[in-house]
Amino acid sequence: MGKQKKFVEAITAMDVDFAQWYTDIVKKAELVDYSSVKGCMIIRPYGYAIWENIQKYLDEKFKETGHENVYMPMFIPESLLQKEKDHVEGFAPEVAWVTHGGNEELAERLCVRPTSETLFCDHYAKIIQSYNDLPKKYNQWCSVVRWEKTTRPFLRTTEFLWQEGHTAHATAEESQQETIDMLNVYANFCENALAIPVVKGQKTEKEKFAGAKATYTIESLMHDGKALQSGTSHNFGDNFSKAFNIQYNDKNSQLQYVHQTSWGMTTRLIGAIIMVHGDDSGLKLPPRIAPTQVMIVPIAQHKEGVIEKAQELKTRISKVARVGIDISDKMPGWKFNEYEMKGIPVRLEVGPKDIENNQVVLVRRDTREKLVVSMDELEIAIPKLLEDIQNSMYEHALKHREENTYSAATLDEFKEIADTKSGFIKAMWCGDKACEEKLKEVAGVTSRCIPFEQEEISDKCICCGGEAKQMVYWGKAY
Amino acid sequence: MGKQKKFVEAITAMDVDFAQWYTDIVKKAELVDYSSVKGCMIIRPYGYAIWENIQKYLDEKFKETGHENVYMPMFIPESLLQKEKDHVEGFAPEVAWVTHGGNEELAERLCVRPTSETLFCDHYAKIIQSYNDLPKKYNQWCSVVRWEKTTRPFLRTTEFLWQEGHTAHATAEESQQETIDMLNVYANFCENALAIPVVKGQKTEKEKFAGAKATYTIESLMHDGKALQSGTSHNFGDNFSKAFNIQYNDKNSQLQYVHQTSWGMTTRLIGAIIMVHGDDSGLKLPPRIAPTQVMIVPIAQHKEGVIEKAQELKTRISKVARVGIDISDKMPGWKFNEYEMKGIPVRLEVGPKDIENNQVVLVRRDTREKLVVSMDELEIAIPKLLEDIQNSMYEHALKHREENTYSAATLDEFKEIADTKSGFIKAMWCGDKACEEKLKEVAGVTSRCIPFEQEEISDKCICCGGEAKQMVYWGKAY
């Protein structure tokens, strides 16, 4: 009667080897497979379904806020990439070059887009003439390529999927507003859909995007205490519009340069979901982003009426949640493990006794709590339970971040925390790049962001003792 | 008060210069812009919104029929591309090669995917072990690159967007069934959503896909009488599984090769929409695929209550159709031209007199017919009108195809038609490649397909006079 698939093998425990635990999950939960191209991943159906839900949520928000989708070429001529000086310096060392088309060598080599500022600018220079043409608020969903030396699925890959928003505005105020608005869209998405709390703030000069006037970021904390930059939004001011000559006639027929932004989120968010919520049994998906929210596992399914009842429940539940059913001939224990590994928020068990008692058993993936619920109440109980799980996953992640966020008032304290703990360290900074570099050298941390919510821990820079300008989040990062 | 945009300039008439008419529409309707990379296009918001509707419709059908989306790398190592002999011969001459990553030359050059059979096969060889793992029915949405010498927006570009389905099955029967099922999905999509009638059939040996056992196609007829291959579905049999060693254990624990298919549809469909439905005023979009189905243009909008009423109508109509409103200070005449150019199926005019009479004027884009409709009936009248337009556009296109489909029983007749008419020519064929090549030489046509619906025009091959095996559609093609 066919081969029975073997039980899901146990994965490496998180505390034993976090990196291996991560790799085990992406493989065992069938999110990703390695490809024959170094550093490029294959996103498998389950991983891609999560990405589709991320896309759907964000795309709706982008459209609600007046953005339109477009598609730019994947190639950038070398001369175009070189137009903005800081930008090319930042990206040229890590791009892939196309040198031949068919059997012929190209007159000018083309880079595979690492990001598309230069293409959008080239287009904007053509289509923007008057203040009537502004603002332009475009976005594109695509893949980009950065030639990375060391790679990890979702977190850092040679090719990755993302969206990149590119906008052009009449004034500096508008582009600043857009930059912050989109950062807020990202922050709300992480907190509401992914149940991942974030710190919103500005990147230092050292850490900002190549070519930007200011870069804003949302930073989240992984289970191992390392930070993950989860989305960035850049204000370019007129840096690019001067390089690409993007000008418009204002209401007084004066030529003005436009002010621009760009902002992006990538498949690395799936890495964040894994590392914020996962445990030693596998993935844990927040209900709002889970491809399947409820998995029905019939118990003693060979008994009369069990499969029929389970299917009837599926039909009912499909009206209020994304529901699946597994009536394969695998053992229930195998199924439990499999769907825990895949992080499905709720398992619904139904067997002959449950049917007799007009009830089902609901098992939460996040807390493993079991609830016995009357069959009559499923349409109300399940959405409520999913909502509870979503909120409780957020609270759990927030608690973890709070417990792993430290304050340091002196350099010794700072080094002590960096050496013995892992998490965010809040400390004051004078604004000098030399201090930022020194902290990296002596404590192995980088500045994560200058948070919007400032605290005054002391009035002195943690590093040089000079006058403190800002409180900064520091940490080790992916 | 600011610069008034000038009237939409007239486009070249279709009968004067069809190619220029086409180019004018893609530019003036703001579907596409040219980029700084030769042969690559920028798909602008309006063009991309049409593509999003195409994606949405097809993606739903793919999922309904049990397919899952994945994402494969955009690069293929040269050695992997070379595994299936016919396939590499077909594609190698037209691929773009990446030779450098960052500042280093790659040990093995990578081609930018022209299609992803080789990547899917490489993955399937790893993940398929047993008959329990079959079928695998994957699809991906992405862009591909083919180094074309002459290009035209949508119809033939160096990079284009598409979906590519790749499936693996236990038996030859199943892969044949899948190939035909997906061809039918494509045919239904073209006819129902795009209002484009298609001829379903098989490609000849000469015209089939590189590496396939059989290629099936849907062929449509453009306004100028040229054919457009609008979607293809390939049965690979075990050609690829033998080259890539994709085997599974059957129920008797015997190793078997899988049987595979692939099928794809591209952004060239947008070219088909333009060339099947458009006229000298611009684009005409079938309602089911139109980003905006109804555009409200207030008349004498400076008069009290007009804009308010128009906005009230928009809110009501938004519940039954995709509706827009233009309350800019441009002249109504400018707006009429603009939305005709953009092919919006219905224009709704509402002015002071209409308000007085509790009515609006609906203008069909396809026939220019005007209908006066009571405001109370909009929620019923508009969906009905959109439905009428959809059907009537299909009927119109079908009539055009029928009027431009000819039968030839002798070679002289065939040449006469090819010389003086433009459209499909139905004629008998012996199955010999030499005859196919000769018809191209003497009449400038290629075989479009061997249609599923056969007719017996004569019992002799149109070319050599030998025994006829099949009736074939011939034509000039894009």
Side-chain angles (χ1 to χ4, degrees), chain A residues 94-135:
Chain A
E94 57 179 43
V95 297
W97 292 104
V98 172
T99 57
H100 290 73
N103 299 317
E104 284 166 29
E105 189 167 351
L106 304 181
E108 180 181 12
R109 58 183 192 162
L110 305 171
C111 88
V112 181
R113 65 182 160 219
T115 179
S116 306
E117 274 73 12
T118 53
L119 294 164
F120 277 88
C121 285
D122 195 35
H123 183 52
Y124 281 153
K126 281 205 273 180
I127 64 168
I128 294 171
Q129 272 96 41
S130 133
Y131 70 92
N132 278 316
D133 299 324
L134 295 173

CSV table of all heavy atoms in Angstrom, one decimal, chain A residues 94-135:
chain,number,residue,atom,x,y,z
A,94,GLU,N,29.4,45.1,-6.0
A,94,GLU,CA,28.6,43.8,-5.8
A,94,GLU,C,27.6,43.6,-6.8
A,94,GLU,O,26.6,42.9,-6.6
A,94,GLU,CB,28.0,43.9,-4.4
A,94,GLU,CG,27.1,45.1,-4.1
A,94,GLU,CD,26.4,45.0,-2.7
A,94,GLU,OE1,27.1,44.7,-1.7
A,94,GLU,OE2,25.2,45.3,-2.6
A,95,VAL,N,27.9,44.0,-8.0
A,95,VAL,CA,26.9,43.7,-9.1
A,95,VAL,C,27.4,42.6,-10.0
A,95,VAL,O,28.6,42.4,-10.2
A,95,VAL,CB,26.5,45.0,-9.9
A,95,VAL,CG1,25.8,46.0,-9.1
A,95,VAL,CG2,27.6,45.5,-10.7
A,96,ALA,N,26.4,42.0,-10.7
A,96,ALA,CA,26.7,41.0,-11.7
A,96,ALA,C,26.7,41.7,-13.1
A,96,ALA,O,25.8,42.5,-13.3
A,96,ALA,CB,25.7,39.9,-11.7
A,97,TRP,N,27.6,41.4,-13.9
A,97,TRP,CA,27.8,42.0,-15.2
A,97,TRP,C,27.4,41.1,-16.4
A,97,TRP,O,28.0,40.0,-16.5
A,97,TRP,CB,29.2,42.6,-15.4
A,97,TRP,CG,29.5,43.7,-14.5
A,97,TRP,CD1,30.3,43.6,-13.4
A,97,TRP,CD2,29.1,45.1,-14.6
A,97,TRP,NE1,30.4,44.8,-12.7
A,97,TRP,CE2,29.7,45.7,-13.5
A,97,TRP,CE3,28.3,45.8,-15.5
A,97,TRP,CZ2,29.4,47.1,-13.3
A,97,TRP,CZ3,28.1,47.1,-15.3
A,97,TRP,CH2,28.7,47.8,-14.2
A,98,VAL,N,26.5,41.6,-17.2
A,98,VAL,CA,26.3,40.9,-18.5
A,98,VAL,C,27.2,41.5,-19.5
A,98,VAL,O,27.2,42.7,-19.7
A,98,VAL,CB,24.8,41.1,-18.9
A,98,VAL,CG1,24.6,40.5,-20.3
A,98,VAL,CG2,23.9,40.4,-17.9
A,99,THR,N,28.0,40.7,-20.2
A,99,THR,CA,29.0,41.2,-21.1
A,99,THR,C,28.7,40.7,-22.5
A,99,THR,O,29.2,41.2,-23.5
A,99,THR,CB,30.4,40.7,-20.8
A,99,THR,OG1,30.4,39.3,-20.7
A,99,THR,CG2,30.8,41.3,-19.4
A,100,HIS,N,27.9,39.6,-22.6
A,100,HIS,CA,27.6,39.0,-24.0
A,100,HIS,C,26.1,38.8,-24.1
A,100,HIS,O,25.4,38.3,-23.2
A,100,HIS,CB,28.3,37.7,-24.1
A,100,HIS,CG,29.8,37.8,-24.3
A,100,HIS,ND1,30.6,38.1,-23.2
A,100,HIS,CD2,30.6,37.7,-25.3
A,100,HIS,CE1,31.9,38.2,-23.6
A,100,HIS,NE2,31.9,37.9,-24.9
A,101,GLY,N,25.6,39.1,-25.3
A,101,GLY,CA,24.2,38.8,-25.7
A,101,GLY,C,24.2,37.9,-26.9
A,101,GLY,O,24.8,38.3,-27.9
A,102,GLY,N,23.7,36.7,-26.7
A,102,GLY,CA,23.8,35.7,-27.8
A,102,GLY,C,25.3,35.4,-28.0
A,102,GLY,O,26.0,35.2,-27.0
A,103,ASN,N,25.8,35.5,-29.2
A,103,ASN,CA,27.2,35.2,-29.4
A,103,ASN,C,28.1,36.4,-29.5
A,103,ASN,O,29.3,36.3,-29.8
A,103,ASN,CB,27.4,34.3,-30.7
A,103,ASN,CG,26.6,33.0,-30.6
A,103,ASN,OD1,26.7,32.4,-29.5
A,103,ASN,ND2,25.9,32.7,-31.6
A,104,GLU,N,27.5,37.6,-29.3
A,104,GLU,CA,28.3,38.8,-29.4
A,104,GLU,C,28.6,39.5,-28.1
A,104,GLU,O,27.8,39.5,-27.2
A,104,GLU,CB,27.5,39.8,-30.3
A,104,GLU,CG,27.5,39.4,-31.8
A,104,GLU,CD,26.5,40.2,-32.6
A,104,GLU,OE1,26.1,41.3,-32.2
A,104,GLU,OE2,26.0,39.6,-33.6
A,105,GLU,N,29.8,40.1,-28.1
A,105,GLU,CA,30.2,40.9,-27.0
A,105,GLU,C,29.4,42.2,-27.0
A,105,GLU,O,29.3,42.8,-28.1
A,105,GLU,CB,31.7,41.1,-27.0
A,105,GLU,CG,32.1,41.7,-25.7
A,105,GLU,CD,33.7,41.7,-25.5
A,105,GLU,OE1,34.4,41.0,-26.2
A,105,GLU,OE2,34.1,42.3,-24.5
A,106,LEU,N,28.9,42.7,-25.9
A,106,LEU,CA,28.2,44.0,-25.9
A,106,LEU,C,29.1,45.1,-26.0
A,106,LEU,O,30.2,45.1,-25.4
A,106,LEU,CB,27.3,44.1,-24.7
A,106,LEU,CG,26.3,42.9,-24.4
A,106,LEU,CD1,25.6,43.2,-23.1
A,106,LEU,CD2,25.4,42.8,-25.6
A,107,ALA,N,28.7,46.2,-26.6
A,107,ALA,CA,29.5,47.4,-26.7
A,107,ALA,C,29.7,48.0,-25.3
A,107,ALA,O,30.7,48.5,-25.0
A,107,ALA,CB,28.9,48.4,-27.7
A,108,GLU,N,28.6,48.0,-24.6
A,108,GLU,CA,28.6,48.5,-23.2
A,108,GLU,C,28.1,47.4,-22.3
A,108,GLU,O,27.0,46.8,-22.5
A,108,GLU,CB,27.8,49.7,-23.0
A,108,GLU,CG,27.8,50.3,-21.6
A,108,GLU,CD,26.9,51.5,-21.4
A,108,GLU,OE1,26.1,51.8,-22.3
A,108,GLU,OE2,27.1,52.1,-20.3
A,109,ARG,N,28.8,47.1,-21.2
A,109,ARG,CA,28.3,46.0,-20.4
A,109,ARG,C,27.1,46.5,-19.5
A,109,ARG,O,27.0,47.7,-19.3
A,109,ARG,CB,29.4,45.4,-19.5
A,109,ARG,CG,30.1,46.3,-18.6
A,109,ARG,CD,31.2,45.6,-17.8
A,109,ARG,NE,31.7,46.4,-16.8
A,109,ARG,CZ,32.4,45.9,-15.7
A,109,ARG,NH1,32.7,44.7,-15.7
A,109,ARG,NH2,32.9,46.8,-14.8
A,110,LEU,N,26.3,45.6,-19.1
A,110,LEU,CA,25.0,45.9,-18.4
A,110,LEU,C,25.1,45.2,-17.1
A,110,LEU,O,25.5,44.1,-17.0
A,110,LEU,CB,23.8,45.3,-19.1
A,110,LEU,CG,23.6,45.7,-20.6
A,110,LEU,CD1,22.5,44.9,-21.2
A,110,LEU,CD2,23.3,47.2,-20.7
A,111,CYS,N,24.7,45.9,-16.0
A,111,CYS,CA,24.7,45.2,-14.7
A,111,CYS,C,23.2,44.8,-14.5
A,111,CYS,O,22.3,45.4,-15.0
A,111,CYS,CB,25.2,46.1,-13.6
A,111,CYS,SG,24.0,47.2,-12.8
A,112,VAL,N,23.1,43.6,-13.8
A,112,VAL,CA,21.8,43.2,-13.4
A,112,VAL,C,21.4,44.0,-12.2
A,112,VAL,O,22.2,44.1,-11.2
A,112,VAL,CB,21.8,41.7,-13.0
A,112,VAL,CG1,20.5,41.2,-12.6
A,112,VAL,CG2,22.4,40.9,-14.2
A,113,ARG,N,20.2,44.6,-12.2
A,113,ARG,CA,19.9,45.6,-11.2
A,113,ARG,C,20.1,45.1,-9.8
A,113,ARG,O,19.6,44.1,-9.4
A,113,ARG,CB,18.4,46.0,-11.3
A,113,ARG,CG,17.5,44.9,-11.1
A,113,ARG,CD,16.0,45.2,-11.2
A,113,ARG,NE,15.3,44.0,-11.4
A,113,ARG,CZ,14.3,43.7,-12.2
A,113,ARG,NH1,13.8,44.7,-12.9
A,113,ARG,NH2,13.8,42.5,-12.3
A,114,PRO,N,20.9,45.9,-9.0
A,114,PRO,CA,21.0,45.6,-7.6
A,114,PRO,C,19.9,46.4,-6.8
A,114,PRO,O,19.5,46.1,-5.7
A,114,PRO,CB,22.4,46.2,-7.2
A,114,PRO,CG,22.6,47.3,-8.2
A,114,PRO,CD,21.8,47.0,-9.4
A,115,THR,N,19.4,47.4,-7.5
A,115,THR,CA,18.3,48.4,-7.1
A,115,THR,C,18.1,49.3,-8.3
A,115,THR,O,19.0,49.3,-9.2
A,115,THR,CB,18.7,49.2,-5.8
A,115,THR,OG1,17.7,50.0,-5.4
A,115,THR,CG2,20.0,50.0,-6.0
A,116,SER,N,17.0,49.9,-8.4
A,116,SER,CA,16.6,50.6,-9.6
A,116,SER,C,16.6,52.1,-9.6
A,116,SER,O,15.9,52.7,-10.5
A,116,SER,CB,15.3,50.0,-10.2
A,116,SER,OG,15.4,48.6,-10.2
A,117,GLU,N,17.2,52.8,-8.7
A,117,GLU,CA,17.1,54.2,-8.6
A,117,GLU,C,17.5,54.8,-10.0
A,117,GLU,O,16.8,55.7,-10.5
A,117,GLU,CB,18.1,54.8,-7.6
A,117,GLU,CG,17.6,54.9,-6.2
A,117,GLU,CD,17.5,53.5,-5.5
A,117,GLU,OE1,18.0,52.5,-6.1
A,117,GLU,OE2,16.8,53.4,-4.5
A,118,THR,N,18.6,54.4,-10.6
A,118,THR,CA,19.0,55.0,-11.8
A,118,THR,C,18.0,54.8,-13.0
A,118,THR,O,17.9,55.7,-13.8
A,118,THR,CB,20.4,54.4,-12.2
A,118,THR,OG1,20.3,52.9,-12.3
A,118,THR,CG2,21.5,54.7,-11.2
A,119,LEU,N,17.4,53.7,-13.0
A,119,LEU,CA,16.4,53.5,-14.1
A,119,LEU,C,15.1,54.4,-13.9
A,119,LEU,O,14.6,55.0,-14.8
A,119,LEU,CB,15.9,52.0,-14.1
A,119,LEU,CG,17.0,51.0,-14.5
A,119,LEU,CD1,16.6,49.6,-14.1
A,119,LEU,CD2,17.3,51.1,-16.0
A,120,PHE,N,14.7,54.5,-12.6
A,120,PHE,CA,13.5,55.3,-12.3
A,120,PHE,C,13.9,56.8,-12.6
A,120,PHE,O,13.1,57.5,-13.2
A,120,PHE,CB,13.1,55.1,-10.9
A,120,PHE,CG,12.1,54.0,-10.7
A,120,PHE,CD1,12.7,52.7,-10.4
A,120,PHE,CD2,10.8,54.1,-10.8
A,120,PHE,CE1,11.8,51.6,-10.3
A,120,PHE,CE2,9.9,53.0,-10.7
A,120,PHE,CZ,10.5,51.7,-10.4
A,121,CYS,N,15.1,57.2,-12.3
A,121,CYS,CA,15.5,58.6,-12.5
A,121,CYS,C,15.5,58.9,-14.0
A,121,CYS,O,15.1,59.9,-14.4
A,121,CYS,CB,16.9,58.8,-11.9
A,121,CYS,SG,16.8,59.0,-10.1
A,122,ASP,N,16.1,58.0,-14.8
A,122,ASP,CA,16.2,58.1,-16.2
A,122,ASP,C,14.8,58.3,-16.8
A,122,ASP,O,14.5,59.2,-17.7
A,122,ASP,CB,16.8,56.8,-16.8
A,122,ASP,CG,17.3,57.0,-18.2
A,122,ASP,OD1,17.8,58.1,-18.5
A,122,ASP,OD2,17.3,56.0,-18.9
A,123,HIS,N,13.8,57.5,-16.3
A,123,HIS,CA,12.4,57.6,-16.8
A,123,HIS,C,11.8,58.9,-16.3
A,123,HIS,O,11.1,59.6,-17.1
A,123,HIS,CB,11.7,56.4,-16.2
A,123,HIS,CG,10.2,56.3,-16.7
A,123,HIS,ND1,9.9,56.3,-18.0
A,123,HIS,CD2,9.1,56.1,-16.0
A,123,HIS,CE1,8.5,56.2,-18.1
A,123,HIS,NE2,8.1,56.1,-16.9
A,124,TYR,N,11.9,59.2,-15.0
A,124,TYR,CA,11.3,60.4,-14.5
A,124,TYR,C,11.8,61.7,-15.2
A,124,TYR,O,11.1,62.6,-15.5
A,124,TYR,CB,11.6,60.5,-13.0
A,124,TYR,CG,10.7,59.7,-12.1
A,124,TYR,CD1,11.2,59.2,-10.8
A,124,TYR,CD2,9.5,59.3,-12.5
A,124,TYR,CE1,10.4,58.4,-10.0
A,124,TYR,CE2,8.6,58.5,-11.7
A,124,TYR,CZ,9.1,58.1,-10.5
A,124,TYR,OH,8.3,57.3,-9.7
A,125,ALA,N,13.1,61.7,-15.6
A,125,ALA,CA,13.6,62.8,-16.3
A,125,ALA,C,12.9,63.0,-17.6
A,125,ALA,O,12.7,64.2,-18.1
A,125,ALA,CB,15.1,62.6,-16.6
A,126,LYS,N,12.4,61.9,-18.2
A,126,LYS,CA,11.6,62.0,-19.5
A,126,LYS,C,10.2,62.4,-19.3
A,126,LYS,O,9.6,63.2,-20.1
A,126,LYS,CB,11.7,60.7,-20.2
A,126,LYS,CG,13.0,60.5,-21.0
A,126,LYS,CD,12.8,59.5,-22.1
A,126,LYS,CE,13.0,58.1,-21.6
A,126,LYS,NZ,12.8,57.1,-22.7
A,127,ILE,N,9.6,61.9,-18.2
A,127,ILE,CA,8.1,62.1,-18.1
A,127,ILE,C,7.7,63.2,-17.2
A,127,ILE,O,6.5,63.5,-17.2
A,127,ILE,CB,7.4,60.8,-17.7
A,127,ILE,CG1,7.8,60.3,-16.3
A,127,ILE,CG2,7.6,59.6,-18.7
A,127,ILE,CD1,6.9,59.2,-15.7
A,128,ILE,N,8.6,63.8,-16.5
A,128,ILE,CA,8.2,64.9,-15.6
A,128,ILE,C,8.6,66.2,-16.3
A,128,ILE,O,9.8,66.4,-16.5
A,128,ILE,CB,8.9,64.8,-14.2
A,128,ILE,CG1,8.3,63.5,-13.5
A,128,ILE,CG2,8.6,66.0,-13.4
A,128,ILE,CD1,9.1,63.2,-12.2
A,129,GLN,N,7.6,67.0,-16.5
A,129,GLN,CA,7.8,68.4,-17.1
A,129,GLN,C,7.3,69.5,-16.2
A,129,GLN,O,8.0,70.5,-16.0
A,129,GLN,CB,7.2,68.5,-18.5
A,129,GLN,CG,8.1,68.0,-19.6
A,129,GLN,CD,7.7,66.6,-20.0
A,129,GLN,OE1,6.5,66.3,-20.1
A,129,GLN,NE2,8.7,65.8,-20.3
A,130,SER,N,6.1,69.2,-15.7
A,130,SER,CA,5.5,70.3,-15.0
A,130,SER,C,5.1,69.9,-13.6
A,130,SER,O,5.0,68.7,-13.2
A,130,SER,CB,4.2,70.8,-15.8
A,130,SER,OG,3.1,70.9,-15.0
A,131,TYR,N,4.7,70.9,-12.7
A,131,TYR,CA,4.3,70.6,-11.4
A,131,TYR,C,3.0,69.7,-11.4
A,131,TYR,O,2.7,69.0,-10.5
A,131,TYR,CB,4.0,71.9,-10.6
A,131,TYR,CG,2.9,72.7,-11.1
A,131,TYR,CD1,1.6,72.5,-10.5
A,131,TYR,CD2,3.0,73.6,-12.1
A,131,TYR,CE1,0.5,73.3,-11.0
A,131,TYR,CE2,2.0,74.3,-12.6
A,131,TYR,CZ,0.7,74.2,-12.0
A,131,TYR,OH,-0.4,74.9,-12.5
A,132,ASN,N,2.3,69.8,-12.6
A,132,ASN,CA,1.1,69.0,-12.8
A,132,ASN,C,1.4,67.5,-12.8
A,132,ASN,O,0.6,66.7,-12.6
A,132,ASN,CB,0.4,69.3,-14.1
A,132,ASN,CG,-0.5,70.5,-14.0
A,132,ASN,OD1,-1.2,70.6,-13.0
A,132,ASN,ND2,-0.4,71.4,-15.0
A,133,ASP,N,2.7,67.2,-13.2
A,133,ASP,CA,3.1,65.8,-13.3
A,133,ASP,C,3.5,65.2,-11.9
A,133,ASP,O,3.9,64.0,-11.8
A,133,ASP,CB,4.2,65.6,-14.2
A,133,ASP,CG,3.9,66.1,-15.6
A,133,ASP,OD1,2.7,65.9,-16.0
A,133,ASP,OD2,4.8,66.7,-16.3
A,134,LEU,N,3.5,66.0,-10.9
A,134,LEU,CA,3.9,65.6,-9.6
A,134,LEU,C,2.8,65.5,-8.6
A,134,LEU,O,1.8,66.2,-8.7
A,134,LEU,CB,5.0,66.6,-9.0
A,134,LEU,CG,6.3,66.6,-9.9
A,134,LEU,CD1,7.2,67.8,-9.4
A,134,LEU,CD2,7.0,65.3,-9.8
A,135,PRO,N,2.9,64.6,-7.5
A,135,PRO,CA,4.0,63.7,-7.3
A,135,PRO,C,3.9,62.5,-8.3
A,135,PRO,O,2.8,62.2,-8.8
A,135,PRO,CB,3.8,63.2,-5.9
A,135,PRO,CG,2.4,63.3,-5.7
A,135,PRO,CD,1.9,64.5,-6.5
